[in-house]
Amino acid sequence: MKKFSLLLLPLLLSGCFSSPAIEVSNICTLMDEEVTWYQGVKASEKKYGAPAYVQLAIIYQESRFQSDAKPPRGKLFGVIPWARPSSSKGFAQATEGTWDWYQKSTKNYNRSRTNFVDAADFVGWYISQSNKRSGVSKTDAFNQYLAYHEGHGGFNRKTHLRKNWLIGVAKKVENNAKRYKKQLKQCRARLDKNRAWSFF
């Protein structure tokens, strides 16, 4: 029953962040500077069959590549800082419940939401889960994001159809994924030559 309830848990990802965003006009430049990040999404792509460009588009939307991203606090009476709307945290803005599901499913108990490589592994895993549980193609950034945001239960119930704003966000993710795919195609050979570490 607990596993079933986890499947219905929406991620409740806010896409908000607490520190300055990393603006990305060309993903190749960022991946060339952050070699371990590129190696992380590449490893996740190989493990789960989740395209690097889809992973990166989702992570960008959720945190703008900020490790300390969290939803902004609400305000009591419009003035007093109050609780955050969800437990979302880190690069992937995964909630505690969904992160716990990921850790138990993969046995990756030492992973951290504030570590980019771990977040990429999570996103790749979640993309593969969306393919299995909701029939979403791993290359379909638009519907992958909707399933990511609403959770598989919500996506399967089509809760996103009542949220025009979310459809708009998913289109942004889709457009970024297309742009990243084109850019990575041009620089992937160069990025593959970068060697900052050898954990994979």
Side-chain angles (χ1 to χ4, degrees), residues 44-57:
S44 181
E45 179 180 65
K46 182 178 180 180
K47 185 190 297 186
Y48 302 110
Y53 58 87
V54 177
Q55 295 180 54
L56 290 166

PDB file of all heavy atoms in Angstrom, residues 44-57:
ATOM      1  N   SER A  44      23.676   8.849 -16.659  1.00  0.00           N
ATOM      2  CA  SER A  44      22.252   8.640 -16.443  1.00  0.00           C
ATOM      3  C   SER A  44      21.564   8.241 -17.748  1.00  0.00           C
ATOM      4  O   SER A  44      20.683   7.375 -17.774  1.00  0.00           O
ATOM      5  CB  SER A  44      21.613   9.909 -15.873  1.00  0.00           C
ATOM      6  OG  SER A  44      20.243   9.722 -15.626  1.00  0.00           O
ATOM      7  N   GLU A  45      21.972   8.864 -18.835  1.00  0.00           N
ATOM      8  CA  GLU A  45      21.429   8.540 -20.154  1.00  0.00           C
ATOM      9  C   GLU A  45      21.715   7.081 -20.502  1.00  0.00           C
ATOM     10  O   GLU A  45      20.849   6.351 -20.997  1.00  0.00           O
ATOM     11  CB  GLU A  45      22.036   9.460 -21.205  1.00  0.00           C
ATOM     12  CG  GLU A  45      21.574   9.212 -22.626  1.00  0.00           C
ATOM     13  CD  GLU A  45      22.228  10.173 -23.606  1.00  0.00           C
ATOM     14  OE1 GLU A  45      23.463  10.097 -23.765  1.00  0.00           O
ATOM     15  OE2 GLU A  45      21.515  11.002 -24.200  1.00  0.00           O
ATOM     16  N   LYS A  46      22.939   6.646 -20.241  1.00  0.00           N
ATOM     17  CA  LYS A  46      23.343   5.275 -20.542  1.00  0.00           C
ATOM     18  C   LYS A  46      22.598   4.269 -19.665  1.00  0.00           C
ATOM     19  O   LYS A  46      22.170   3.208 -20.138  1.00  0.00           O
ATOM     20  CB  LYS A  46      24.849   5.132 -20.338  1.00  0.00           C
ATOM     21  CG  LYS A  46      25.378   3.744 -20.674  1.00  0.00           C
ATOM     22  CD  LYS A  46      26.893   3.694 -20.503  1.00  0.00           C
ATOM     23  CE  LYS A  46      27.431   2.298 -20.850  1.00  0.00           C
ATOM     24  NZ  LYS A  46      28.913   2.235 -20.695  1.00  0.00           N
ATOM     25  N   LYS A  47      22.425   4.601 -18.395  1.00  0.00           N
ATOM     26  CA  LYS A  47      21.788   3.689 -17.447  1.00  0.00           C
ATOM     27  C   LYS A  47      20.288   3.544 -17.683  1.00  0.00           C
ATOM     28  O   LYS A  47      19.751   2.428 -17.637  1.00  0.00           O
ATOM     29  CB  LYS A  47      22.025   4.178 -16.018  1.00  0.00           C
ATOM     30  CG  LYS A  47      21.499   3.227 -14.947  1.00  0.00           C
ATOM     31  CD  LYS A  47      21.529   3.860 -13.565  1.00  0.00           C
ATOM     32  CE  LYS A  47      22.932   4.195 -13.115  1.00  0.00           C
ATOM     33  NZ  LYS A  47      22.961   4.684 -11.705  1.00  0.00           N
ATOM     34  N   TYR A  48      19.610   4.670 -17.936  1.00  0.00           N
ATOM     35  CA  TYR A  48      18.151   4.650 -18.010  1.00  0.00           C
ATOM     36  C   TYR A  48      17.584   4.869 -19.419  1.00  0.00           C
ATOM     37  O   TYR A  48      16.367   4.771 -19.619  1.00  0.00           O
ATOM     38  CB  TYR A  48      17.564   5.719 -17.083  1.00  0.00           C
ATOM     39  CG  TYR A  48      17.968   5.562 -15.645  1.00  0.00           C
ATOM     40  CD1 TYR A  48      18.839   6.472 -15.048  1.00  0.00           C
ATOM     41  CD2 TYR A  48      17.489   4.509 -14.871  1.00  0.00           C
ATOM     42  CE1 TYR A  48      19.218   6.341 -13.710  1.00  0.00           C
ATOM     43  CE2 TYR A  48      17.860   4.368 -13.534  1.00  0.00           C
ATOM     44  CZ  TYR A  48      18.729   5.290 -12.967  1.00  0.00           C
ATOM     45  OH  TYR A  48      19.092   5.149 -11.648  1.00  0.00           O
ATOM     46  N   GLY A  49      18.435   5.201 -20.367  1.00  0.00           N
ATOM     47  CA  GLY A  49      17.937   5.483 -21.711  1.00  0.00           C
ATOM     48  C   GLY A  49      17.216   6.810 -21.785  1.00  0.00           C
ATOM     49  O   GLY A  49      16.416   7.045 -22.696  1.00  0.00           O
ATOM     50  N   ALA A  50      17.479   7.684 -20.823  1.00  0.00           N
ATOM     51  CA  ALA A  50      16.849   9.002 -20.766  1.00  0.00           C
ATOM     52  C   ALA A  50      17.772  10.012 -21.429  1.00  0.00           C
ATOM     53  O   ALA A  50      18.855  10.283 -20.912  1.00  0.00           O
ATOM     54  CB  ALA A  50      16.583   9.402 -19.317  1.00  0.00           C
ATOM     55  N   PRO A  51      17.378  10.601 -22.559  1.00  0.00           N
ATOM     56  CA  PRO A  51      18.258  11.529 -23.284  1.00  0.00           C
ATOM     57  C   PRO A  51      18.786  12.653 -22.404  1.00  0.00           C
ATOM     58  O   PRO A  51      18.043  13.235 -21.607  1.00  0.00           O
ATOM     59  CB  PRO A  51      17.348  12.071 -24.384  1.00  0.00           C
ATOM     60  CG  PRO A  51      16.325  11.011 -24.594  1.00  0.00           C
ATOM     61  CD  PRO A  51      16.075  10.445 -23.225  1.00  0.00           C
ATOM     62  N   ALA A  52      20.057  12.958 -22.571  1.00  0.00           N
ATOM     63  CA  ALA A  52      20.678  14.023 -21.790  1.00  0.00           C
ATOM     64  C   ALA A  52      19.951  15.342 -21.981  1.00  0.00           C
ATOM     65  O   ALA A  52      19.776  16.113 -21.027  1.00  0.00           O
ATOM     66  CB  ALA A  52      22.154  14.163 -22.178  1.00  0.00           C
ATOM     67  N   TYR A  53      19.500  15.612 -23.198  1.00  0.00           N
ATOM     68  CA  TYR A  53      18.848  16.896 -23.464  1.00  0.00           C
ATOM     69  C   TYR A  53      17.509  17.016 -22.739  1.00  0.00           C
ATOM     70  O   TYR A  53      17.106  18.121 -22.346  1.00  0.00           O
ATOM     71  CB  TYR A  53      18.688  17.124 -24.973  1.00  0.00           C
ATOM     72  CG  TYR A  53      17.903  16.082 -25.733  1.00  0.00           C
ATOM     73  CD1 TYR A  53      16.516  16.161 -25.835  1.00  0.00           C
ATOM     74  CD2 TYR A  53      18.535  15.028 -26.376  1.00  0.00           C
ATOM     75  CE1 TYR A  53      15.791  15.213 -26.544  1.00  0.00           C
ATOM     76  CE2 TYR A  53      17.833  14.079 -27.092  1.00  0.00           C
ATOM     77  CZ  TYR A  53      16.453  14.166 -27.169  1.00  0.00           C
ATOM     78  OH  TYR A  53      15.735  13.223 -27.868  1.00  0.00           O
ATOM     79  N   VAL A  54      16.812  15.903 -22.529  1.00  0.00           N
ATOM     80  CA  VAL A  54      15.551  15.945 -21.778  1.00  0.00           C
ATOM     81  C   VAL A  54      15.848  16.147 -20.298  1.00  0.00           C
ATOM     82  O   VAL A  54      15.196  16.955 -19.618  1.00  0.00           O
ATOM     83  CB  VAL A  54      14.730  14.660 -21.993  1.00  0.00           C
ATOM     84  CG1 VAL A  54      13.451  14.698 -21.143  1.00  0.00           C
ATOM     85  CG2 VAL A  54      14.366  14.489 -23.464  1.00  0.00           C
ATOM     86  N   GLN A  55      16.834  15.433 -19.784  1.00  0.00           N
ATOM     87  CA  GLN A  55      17.236  15.608 -18.388  1.00  0.00           C
ATOM     88  C   GLN A  55      17.597  17.064 -18.103  1.00  0.00           C
ATOM     89  O   GLN A  55      17.133  17.656 -17.123  1.00  0.00           O
ATOM     90  CB  GLN A  55      18.454  14.743 -18.071  1.00  0.00           C
ATOM     91  CG  GLN A  55      18.258  13.254 -18.130  1.00  0.00           C
ATOM     92  CD  GLN A  55      19.551  12.531 -17.803  1.00  0.00           C
ATOM     93  OE1 GLN A  55      20.165  12.776 -16.747  1.00  0.00           O
ATOM     94  NE2 GLN A  55      20.008  11.661 -18.683  1.00  0.00           N
ATOM     95  N   LEU A  56      18.436  17.627 -18.951  1.00  0.00           N
ATOM     96  CA  LEU A  56      18.917  18.989 -18.743  1.00  0.00           C
ATOM     97  C   LEU A  56      17.797  20.013 -18.836  1.00  0.00           C
ATOM     98  O   LEU A  56      17.772  20.991 -18.084  1.00  0.00           O
ATOM     99  CB  LEU A  56      20.022  19.310 -19.748  1.00  0.00           C
ATOM    100  CG  LEU A  56      21.338  18.564 -19.523  1.00  0.00           C
ATOM    101  CD1 LEU A  56      22.247  18.686 -20.750  1.00  0.00           C
ATOM    102  CD2 LEU A  56      22.051  19.091 -18.280  1.00  0.00           C
ATOM    103  N   ALA A  57      16.853  19.801 -19.748  1.00  0.00           N
ATOM    104  CA  ALA A  57      15.726  20.728 -19.885  1.00  0.00           C
ATOM    105  C   ALA A  57      14.855  20.716 -18.634  1.00  0.00           C
ATOM    106  O   ALA A  57      14.372  21.758 -18.180  1.00  0.00           O
ATOM    107  CB  ALA A  57      14.901  20.368 -21.120  1.00  0.00           C
TER     108      ALA A  57
END
